[in-house]
Amino acid sequence: MKVSLVLLSLAISVSAQQHVFETEPPGTAFHHPIRRVAVVGAGPAGLQAAANLIEHNFTVRLFERAPHPGGNWIYSEETPVRESYPYAYANKLRDEPAGHAAEIPAQLPVTRYYSEGDNGLTLDERWTEHWQPRPVWDSLHTNSPKVSTELPDVQYAPDTPWVLSTHTIQRHVRSFASHHCLNSNDYCPASVSAPPVTAYSTRVEKVEKDDSTHTWVLTLRRLERLYESDRILAEWWTETFDAVVLAAGPYTAPHVPEIDGIVNWSKAKVGAQYSMYHSQTYRHPERYADKTVLIVGASVSASEIARDIGPFASRIIASIRPPKDSTEMRQRSLLRFPNITEFVPEIAFFEPLEKHNEGIRNGKIHLINGTVLQGIDEIILATGYRSHPLYPHNSTSRVPEKIHWTGHYIPDPTLAYTLGRPWVLGRYQSYGFAKVWAGTARLPSEEVKLPPTPDDRRRNWRSMWLGEAIIRRYVSWLNGASLEHGGRFVEPPPIENVELLNYYAVVHFLNINRDCQTTMDLDGLGGLGISTLANQLTGKDPWDALVFEDDDW
Ligand SMILES: Cc1cc2nc3c(=O)[nH]c(=O)nc-3n(C[C@H](O)[C@H](O)[C@H](O)COP(=O)(O)OP(=O)(O)OC[C@H]3O[C@@H](n4cnc5c(N)ncnc54)[C@H](O)[C@@H]3O)c2cc1C
Ligand SMILES: NC(=O)c1ccc[n+]([C@@H]2O[C@H](COP(=O)([O-])OP(=O)(O)OC[C@H]3O[C@@H](n4cnc5c(N)ncnc54)[C@H](OP(=O)(O)O)[C@@H]3O)[C@@H](O)[C@H]2O)c1
Ligand SMILES: *[C@@H]1O[C@H](CO)[C@@H](O)[C@H](O)[C@H]1NC(C)=O
Ligand SMILES: *[C@@H]1O[C@H](CO)[C@@H](O)[C@H](O)[C@H]1NC(C)=O
Ligand SMILES: *[C@@H]1O[C@H](CO)[C@@H](O)[C@H](O)[C@H]1NC(C)=O
Ligand SMILES: *[C@@H]1O[C@H](CO)[C@@H](O)[C@H](O)[C@H]1NC(C)=O
Ligand SMILES: *[C@@H]1O[C@H](CO)[C@@H](O)[C@H](O)[C@H]1NC(C)=O
């Protein structure tokens, strides 16, 4: 607690002294110069943001709820505890700051100790609820090639295959963290008295603007497992910043469909094992041996998990709904299901179970076409994720509105979001945050207007965030600003990378079709033949190659 109080008073004294710019303001005008910056999230995006801000001599604090850097790519045998995410609640998370506002004690700072079973939670449940172990499974491989899944400054070994294992990416992201002294066991203070940059196992619960001081107040919660005394130490405190980067990622919380009866079914167990759970808890295929598994969803998690358990399960049933719009990526996912998959329509409702300790084999699942499914052993909800923007917490959209293409929040550009593919865009975006806040770049004034309708917006964002267009825009903006106000120059990705992406896209698609195990009729998928698919991909923006990112990001 001492540390945080010191930080707080330091921040206040700095902001009290500085009310005017020291130099002719070339950049966007702020109430006072930006000195202290918080970064929320130590995934590929947040780590790059922190590294760029440190390079620009800001006082940086990097907060990460997980015990290590890596973001989505931390592989762990731990899984999020289902019971702490009752289904009705999981969807509500986005409406509440970090979903746990009610748990923030009234008086801060405060320290509490928890023992096994306190408030009905085991220590493991308390721990995994805090950091939500990531939705990557042991055999997961990328659906993007390494040329577009690589961070700057550290390189994959030349013999690393194009398709990367989750374990390889984990090491890669952690190498980047260590390279910049941001790993969980690194400590490279600028001076003896400087506070540490990183705070792992520290979840940002709230991000609020203090209108009187024009600073951001972050409410933080850190957990520490005390193995010797078999307890968990929880600390809550606040820290104050001049600017904040929200790099919490697009997949912060599970999306669970609101199907009638799903809450009732979510309690069903066999022994200690739940019978229905979200795909974020999937790790290994072995326990599906000789089981009948129902997978809900038609996207990447659904098809890849089906593929993983295919050699083990006795039956795989996939409940899919008609596509909202027919994309090549959806078709790709459908082709990836193993050939034993039986496709059924969407679920209408789950008939309430009589007991919760006998699993779901006798339960009845009503499909929208009137058919009733029975005899299912396990249900995997591969129904996707929700982002959790933290702020503005009453925003109804998943991507906050009023965001500049640089990621800055337009009404208050001391707040910025990381957007798009961090592997490709993060280096430019982070540099942009640093330059705008250091006063060596103006927020570009053009393109501030967002497209009129949400649909237009989505389309526009998708092409902008993923494509070459945005890279060109960054390069010209950043280099123009550096020419005028100083700073290093940036380059677009080397042309051979674009060629590699094109090549990969075609070869990969041909391979999928060759290995295609599905009994589904290819022509039934919108009449697209192999060559048509390949042509479509080469015709598209290559940076988009085979990455099925959430439309909104
Ligand atoms: C199952 C799965 C497979 C994927 N496969 C691919 C792939 O093959 N290729 C590809 O390019 N992309 C893939 N992705 C997308 C993936 O999101 C990106 O590769 C990348 O990890 C995004 O980086 P990020 O830093 O934006 O977010 P993340 O990597 O998600 O990092 C965000 C970090 O913020 C932290 N955080 C969130 N909220 C808080 C809070 N309140 N307080 C403190 N910390 C917080 C999280 O703990 C997390 O560590 C996949 C995603 C999923 C879910
Ligand atoms: N590298 C890999 O191997 C890998 C593996 C997993 C995930 N990923 C990545 O992770 C991200 C998330 O992928 P994801 O597959 O978890 O989520 P997703 O792409 O958001 O897909 C969610 C799926 O659930 C379906 N769904 C939601 N509610 C449903 C309902 N009530 N009934 C039936 N279906 C329902 C959706 O259908 P609609 O389409 O109709 O909405 C969609 O098919 C993507 O970027 C993906 O590329 C990568
Ligand atoms: C950061 O500080 C160092 C040492 O004072 C200085 O050499 C460097 O130019 C500064 N970097 C930026 C981007 O201002
Ligand atoms: C299904 O796939 C398996 C394993 O990949 C293969 O041995 C089998 O011949 C395939 N069956 C059909 C009907 O295609
Ligand atoms: C409903 O869908 C299932 C699975 O595809 C199918 O077997 C069944 O015949 C369908 N029922 C009706 C009434 O169409
Ligand atoms: C849910 O299932 C239990 C069986 O344990 C049953 O007692 C209960 O009434 C069901 N709830 C609803 C709302 O149907
Ligand atoms: C969001 O909250 C702010 C104040 O907290 C309020 O001024 C604003 O009107 C709210 N917006 C919506 C869309 O509810």
Side-chain angles (χ1 to χ4, degrees), residues 5 38 99 136 138 152 160 199 203 210 281 309 313 358 363 378 407 438 455 474:
L5 287 179
V136 286
D138 195 25
T160 308
R203 190 167 74 188
D210 181 337
T281 66
I309 65 178
E358 290 179 347
E378 314 236 4
D455 264 2
Y474 266 118

Side-chain angles (χ1 to χ4, degrees), residues 272-293:
Q273 179 63 58
Y274 285 100
S275 304
M276 180 201 273
Y277 33 85
H278 190 269
S279 58
Q280 73 165 340
T281 66
Y282 178 73
R283 296 292 182 271
H284 297 284
E286 291 81 9
R287 58 171 264 239
Y288 298 90
D290 306 320
K291 290 193 169 151
T292 298
V293 184

Side-chain angles (χ1 to χ4, degrees), residues 75 77 136-141 165-167 282-284 308:
Y75 178 79
E77 292 290 329
V136 286
W137 53 91
D138 195 25
S139 73
L140 187 140
H141 282 72
S165 138
T166 189
H167 304 286
Y282 178 73
R283 296 292 182 271
H284 297 284
D308 206 34

